[in-house]
């Protein structure tokens, strides 16, 4: 059994509120939302972070971005949203499986914390 929590969600071993799933990726609700709508888009393949993505993952990375926009739209985020990939320690990454946060439902601010 994988020790990676997102691999376990992808394998169906841990429940999640899934919004989208295909052979390459999965989108589900974040368990600790920081916005009215807070979704995560993950690749099924375990890639530690964006910094660990290889040239062979280029199409997959593009797919994740497109699915992020699709689930944002399906979730009613017609006024905009933010996509974030926390990467590594300084990036604030806590789960070491590449994921896109899709945040919306309120005004986002810049610079982020
Ligand atoms: P990051 O800090 O960028 O690595 O984001 C990890 C996110 O994953 C964080 O917002 C909380 C979320 N998360 C952690 N464990 C679980 C879980 O078991 N289920 C769900 N749905 N989300 C989780």
């Amino acid at each position: 059994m994988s020790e990676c929590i997102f691999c376990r969600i992808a394998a169906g071993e841990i429940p999640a509120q899934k919004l989208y799933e295909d052979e390459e990726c999965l989108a589900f609700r974040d368990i600790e939302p920081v916005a009215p709508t807070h979704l995560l888009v993950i690749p099924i393949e375990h890639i530690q972070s964006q910094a660990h993505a290889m040239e062979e993952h280029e199409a997959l990375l593009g797919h994740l971005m497109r699915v992020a926009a699709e689930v944002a739209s399906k979730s009613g985020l017609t006024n905009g949203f933010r996509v974030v990939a926390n990467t590594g320690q300084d990036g604030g990454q806590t789960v070491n499986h590449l994921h896109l946060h899709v945040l919306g439902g309120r005004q986002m601010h810049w610079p982020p914390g």
Side-chain angles (χ1 to χ4, degrees), residues 6-12 14 16-29 39-45 60 63-64 67 71 97-100:
F6 286 177
C7 283
R8 295 188 66 190
I9 287 174
I14 293 176
Q17 291 183 48
K18 297 178 186 174
L19 288 93
Y20 177 91
E21 190 168 16
D22 64 26
E23 290 180 353
E24 294 179 302
C25 76
L26 175 65
F28 53 95
R29 293 195 187 282
L39 316 175
L40 298 171
V41 182
I42 68 166
I44 304 293
E45 177 184 345
L60 174 60
H63 184 60
L64 297 176
V67 168
V71 294
H97 181 128
L98 193 158
H99 50 282
L100 300 180

Side-chain angles (χ1 to χ4, degrees), residues 5-6 9 14-17 28-34 38 40 84-87 91-97 99 101:
I5 198 147
F6 286 177
I9 287 174
I14 293 176
Q17 291 183 48
F28 53 95
R29 293 195 187 282
D30 195 294
I31 206 169
E32 298 169 14
V34 298
H38 187 167
L40 298 171
V84 175
N86 294 330
T87 302
Q93 185 176 4
T94 60
V95 176
N96 290 324
H97 181 128
H99 50 282
H101 294 262

Side-chain angles (χ1 to χ4, degrees), residues 52-110:
H52 293 78
M54 312 290 283
E55 194 174 347
E56 72 204 44
H57 295 124
E58 273 186 12
L60 174 60
L61 295 177
H63 184 60
L64 297 176
M65 291 295 278
R66 195 193 61 73
V67 168
E70 186 175 321
V71 294
S73 173
K74 282 184 176 165
S75 298
L77 301 180
T78 53
N79 208 37
F81 56 90
R82 181 171 291 177
V83 176
V84 175
N86 294 330
T87 302
Q89 188 172 335
D90 280 5
Q93 185 176 4
T94 60
V95 176
N96 290 324
H97 181 128
L98 193 158
H99 50 282
L100 300 180
H101 294 262
V102 181
L103 302 159
R106 65 169 170 81
Q107 179 64 57
M108 297 296 150
H109 301 287
W110 195 264

